[in-house]
Amino acid sequence: MIGRFATLGTYTDLMDRKDFISCALGGTLALWAWLWGRFELQPPYLAMALALASVAINGLPIVWGALRGLFEKRLNVDELVSLAIVASVVQGEFLTAAVIATIMTVGSLVEEIVGESARKSIQALARMTPDTAVLVDPDGGRQSVPVASLRAGDRIEVKPGERIPVDGEVVFGVTAVDESSVTGEAMPVTRGLGDEVLAGTLSYNGLIEIVATRVGESTTLGAVIRLVTEAEASKPKAARIVDAYARWFTPAVLSCAGLAWWWSGEASRAVAVLVAGCPCALLMAAPTAAVAAVARAARWGILVKGGRPLEEVGGIDAVLFDKTGTLTLGDPRVDEIITAPGISRAELLAAAACAESGSTHPLARAVLRATAAEGVAAPRPETFLSEAGIGVRAVLDGREIEVGGAALIGGAGLPSGLGQALADVMSRGATPLVVLRDRKPLGILAVTDTIRPSARASVAALRELGVARVGILSGDHGRSVSTVAGALGIDESWPGLAPADKPRIVKTFQEGGHRVMFVGDGINDAPALARADVGVAMGQAGTDVALETAQVALTRDDIGRLPLLMRLSRRMRLVIQVNIALGIASNALAVFGSSYGLLSPIAASVFHNAGSILVVLSSAALFFVSGRGETALTPAPARAYP
């Protein structure tokens, strides 16, 4: 059954499907065949003709699916039902064959209808993107264009009550945005100048203009749709075990059918065993649960790359965080500028901005903001190089400029005044950026960041869920890391790490028997994200490299959703176990009942489909899991704009 109807979910309206029409026609013919025989109407052979027509409509596609599987040297569950239909026809039990084919077809359609909820939600998401958008020309003119024609960098106008067509940055206006369809936040949030807005979200009350950053399938909404669609292909571990087990079903059931026939002498018992033995419920146990759970997570603003990573989350017992941009907001500010003797603030900032202009790190953004606030122009570097975990290096007018942490100084040392300033900056938990020109210090920029509002509650919730170890892996200096760790109640931290150190520590945890989740956002986090059992990237602030490497992305950079993800994973794993138990139990009972003559072939087909429908219903319930009352779903506070 699964083989024939695996693609039904690609359609949106069941009433338009030829499978539904053919099923209804075949079922009607089977009903007429039964009525004709029941009331002994004339001519009698018409009942046989009606039954055979029903078999041709509903049974032949099943038989063809089985034959095609054999031609392709693969087994599927259609073989068992096909043998039952053929055996019934050979025995002259045409009505039995017709009813079996009809019931199995109806059962497959009902399974699809019940399991359609997750797909329909994704189709509804796809419809949230408008077909047209108002493009703002460089000269200020406006024209309506198809959304498909938009490109990154285009300026777009969005009026109150309209849906935002692309991911972009607000460059004019302020509005309240309903982001519940993508991020799961129930309350509208205020978005203004410099804020990111997402495709498919609704602008309530303000006129805004945005510059497109991601369009089409590259948008966050596009990622949601793609990931849920791909969830069916990415099977959980439980599904692979079931698949291996199911390969033995066909020969085992054939043996049972043969024994039932030999023992009872009744071919109808063998036919009933063949129908009852189809492992449809078992095969659907894991994939249907994975699709529903991935879809539910997507509606909460958690993008998971398939069922396997989501299954892994439930077994995590160690969570390691990067600091900047993960536990902190990733929006640091320069709060102190300390210059070397003979160096002006403008000279220091210009040099630092020149070197940082090619970097995407949050600290680089802080330097560029400070430079702009002071009215200093940032020169364009002749060359640029980013050294992960160390700093950045650029060449301007033939002179080398370097910006990085205290480790950048090496053996060069600092003048006594700068050395004391560096110690003071580090002692208060701020991050120092040392600026060198031709290896000579120009000064120090002190940068501070703010801890995420949801971080402490998230750490506490993870511990309540049984996560034994929570730690911080950071390239920042010890005082800054310990300040954040102390504020969040985290006992373990590793400061001053190079990029290669993070995956090494993750590996050490794994060798100690832990299942590790690593949460990060930067280029230097990519190796650790890849090494961890589950890598989680910050979707909004994260770099493309981090997002590509991680198995999970948080669309609103809210680590408070991690406990919710873990609970959903554990619920999914429980549902899969229940589904497998239901599948095995229903098959065993049906085969036993059929072997002993307790179930006729028709009753066996009804029993078989009832088990499959129960499994799909059990899985579909995951899509409706509520996050109400979870601290993980507390909306981020709206920003206030003048």
Side-chain angles (χ1 to χ4, degrees), residues 222-448:
V224 171
I225 297 168
R226 184 178 67 255
L227 289 173
V228 178
T229 303
E230 291 174 353
E232 291 177 287
S234 176
K235 293 184 178 181
K237 289 181 180 178
R240 300 200 301 275
I241 296 172
V242 168
D243 287 345
Y245 180 49
R247 282 198 293 269
W248 296 95
F249 252 70
T250 297
V253 172
L254 285 173
S255 299
C256 289
L259 287 173
W261 191 359
W262 172 78
W263 178 63
S264 67
E266 300 177 14
S268 62
R269 292 197 186 187
V271 171
V273 169
L274 291 173
V275 175
C278 288
C280 294
L282 192 60
L283 290 175
M284 292 187 298
T288 53
V291 171
V294 170
R296 176 72 275 181
R299 296 301 296 270
W300 283 332
I302 308 168
L303 307 186
V304 187
K305 296 180 180 178
R308 289 175 60 184
L310 183 55
E311 185 181 31
E312 291 282 357
V313 171
I316 293 297
D317 62 357
V319 179
L320 302 175
F321 292 95
D322 175 47
K323 183 179 76 71
T324 304
T326 304
L327 291 174
T328 62
L329 289 174
D331 188 29
R333 306 281 172 168
V334 174
D335 66 356
E336 188 176 3
I337 301 172
I338 307 152
T339 61
I343 303 297
S344 67
R345 290 168 62 95
E347 185 178 1
L348 172 62
L349 287 171
C354 174
E356 296 283 14
S357 61
S359 174
T360 59
H361 196 278
L363 295 178
R365 294 196 294 270
V367 172
L368 295 175
R369 276 196 298 265
T371 303
E374 295 264 338
V376 177
R380 184 177 180 83
E382 297 164 13
T383 63
F384 171 82
L385 177 65
S386 175
E387 298 179 277
I390 299 175
V392 293
R393 182 183 303 159
V395 173
L396 177 66
D397 297 331
R399 307 183 72 178
E400 185 179 66
I401 301 172
E402 298 170 90
V403 181
L408 182 67
I409 306 166
L414 288 172
S416 59
L418 283 182
Q420 183 59 48
L422 177 63
D424 292 342
V425 169
M426 295 176 67
S427 67
R428 63 183 175 88
T431 299
L433 290 180
V434 179
V435 183
L436 306 179
R437 184 168 60 197
D438 292 336
R439 298 301 298 166
K440 295 181 180 179
L442 299 180
I444 298 171
L445 303 177
V447 184
T448 56

Side-chain angles (χ1 to χ4, degrees), residues 316-323 326-327 462 467 469-473 490 492-494 502-503 505-507 509-510 515-520 528-529 532 534 536 562:
I316 293 297
D317 62 357
V319 179
L320 302 175
F321 292 95
D322 175 47
K323 183 179 76 71
T326 304
L327 291 174
L462 289 172
V467 176
R469 300 180 68 179
V470 180
I472 302 176
L473 308 184
I490 296 176
E492 299 180 271
S493 61
W494 290 262
K502 293 183 179 182
I505 294 173
V506 170
K507 182 180 178 182
F509 270 76
Q510 292 170 328
R515 307 292 293 174
V516 182
M517 172 188 288
F518 179 76
V519 189
L529 289 168
V534 177
V536 180
L562 293 178

Side-chain angles (χ1 to χ4, degrees), residues 119-142:
R119 296 188 184 100
K120 283 186 178 295
S121 70
I122 299 307
Q123 292 159 3
L125 279 176
R127 290 193 292 270
M128 286 181 181
T129 303
D131 296 325
T132 61
V134 177
L135 181 65
V136 181
D137 298 330
D139 59 2
R142 285 156 171 73

Side-chain angles (χ1 to χ4, degrees), residues 585-640:
S586 63
N587 274 118
L589 288 173
V591 169
F592 178 83
S594 301
S595 300
Y596 279 85
L598 301 177
L599 294 176
S600 68
I602 294 175
S605 62
V606 172
F607 195 95
H608 160 269
N609 282 294
S612 299
I613 292 170
L614 280 175
V615 165
V616 177
L617 282 170
S618 172
S619 297
L622 283 169
F623 184 74
F624 301 100
V625 170
S626 172
R628 191 171 301 164
E630 300 281 359
T631 57
L633 284 182
T634 302
R639 287 178 55 180

